[in-house]
Amino acid sequence: MVRVSFTANLQRHVACPPRTVEGCTVREALAAVFAENTRAAGYVLDEHGALRRHMIVFVNGEAIQDRATLSDPVADGAEVYVMQALSGG
Amino acid sequence: MSDRLYVATRKGLFTLERGSGGAPWRICRTAFLGDQVTMVLPDTRDNHVYAAIGHGHFGTKLHVSADGGMNWEERTAPAYPEPPAGAPEDRCPVRQIPIPWRLEYIWALEAGGADQPGLVWCGTLPGGLFTSRDRGASWELVRPLWDRPERKKWFGGGMDYPGLHSIVVDPRDSRRVTVAVSCGGVWVTTDGGESWNCRADGMRAAYAPPEHAYDPAIQDPHRLVACPARPETMWVQHHNGVFRSTDGATSWHEITEVPPSTFGFAVAVHPRQPDTAWLVPAIKDERRIPVDGKVVVVRTRDGGRSFEVLTQGLPQEHAYDIVLRHCLDVDRSGDRLAFGSSTGSLWTSDDQGDSWRTVSSNLPPIYCVRFAR
């Protein structure tokens, strides 16, 4: 099982409580969350399923590498954080 | 005259109303405070209001109100399809950066014709035009325009990507739609979007090499409007001048004598008098500030042969307000105008611009000003 948490800043627009889901990759874990929260998906991913430009996903503290297809693996017990990438000054 | 005004800003949507007897405009309602509202459309066909929200991190969203802006519901935002497999990447011919098939920004929302209830047009960056036939519940990219080979010539002006910012639906024939793209010229369909032709003959691009200056598909119309009672008369505030068409965009005539400058973003045309139009000039590329620090509106009543410079009630020293392309509007009476600036000032007039009142100098940067017609 994988625990997925979202930035508090997203909660103002769409409720995204932490979820514990099944999944072997970031894509699978997020898909499991978004299956029950379809509106949230559009805030994190673009229309092609890629991570939005100013968003970032950490798996156990490490930023994912594959922002286009989210193929980074997640091990059982992993912590996935969906955050805003700091941009601008 | 219209007594309701919507003002979309960098930090929210403001609804202003005024009472009878010349009462001042007051902000009566706010929505989306803190969020960038890039476009608003009051649809008088059914009292719906559409608002485009550009979240810096979370993407572009569309919200719809069915009660004139009291309550809002998020709808599906337009979405680009996947590019064809194996097709070469779209690249900006100027910046040499990839042009994504991805919604970057909603820059235009317009209602379809009176005979098309629920149909809404949406212009976006990176240049796609979308239609919804169900009040924003679903959207479809207008492929016949997106797939035109000339799109490869389009490029961004102030933005990184080309943007479709003006949509004019002919009130006599809803299937005739004219759109304008920065920088991609003016395009016309007469069959509801099934086929398109570039109609910018006569426009001149001073920013292009001489051999390309008259290429219709690289023109930078900053704003396109048409007279509702005479839709074949169109006005364009272009990057390097003012252009007018009296034949439905088939040909354009440049108007070169506009005081104090031919540069600007916004233009509005009287709803029944096609020769009466208003512009808000500024110093062009080099500075983008009002000429001599004076905010002025210019008005022609003779199709651009002459202009009056209107200053009464507007700041005439050390004013650095720039009025972006969607920030000047005229109501259906043709007497009441409003315009707002990128530094948060909002002015209104009840006498076709002869005199102006400051409604606020403290709003966030203003992106769109529209009367509820």
Side-chain angles (χ1 to χ4, degrees), chain A residues 7 9-10 12-14 39 41-49 52-55 83-87, chain B residues 32-35 55-61 63 74 78-83 100-104 161:
Chain A
T7 169
N9 292 321
L10 182 54
R12 184 165 75 84
H13 306 294
V14 52
R39 193 166 152 244
Y43 283 74
V44 176
L45 308 176
D46 71 15
E47 55 259 68
H48 306 305
R52 290 197 176 280
R53 187 185 311 158
H54 299 298
M55 298 296 288
M83 312 291 286
Q84 294 160 287
L86 289 179
S87 51
Chain B
F32 312 110
L33 274 182
D35 295 328
H55 295 295
H57 293 80
F58 305 126
T60 292
K61 312 299 175 195
H63 294 252
E74 186 175 341
Y80 282 73
E82 290 281 355
W101 288 43
R102 183 177 64 224
L103 179 65
E104 293 287 327
Y161 306 123

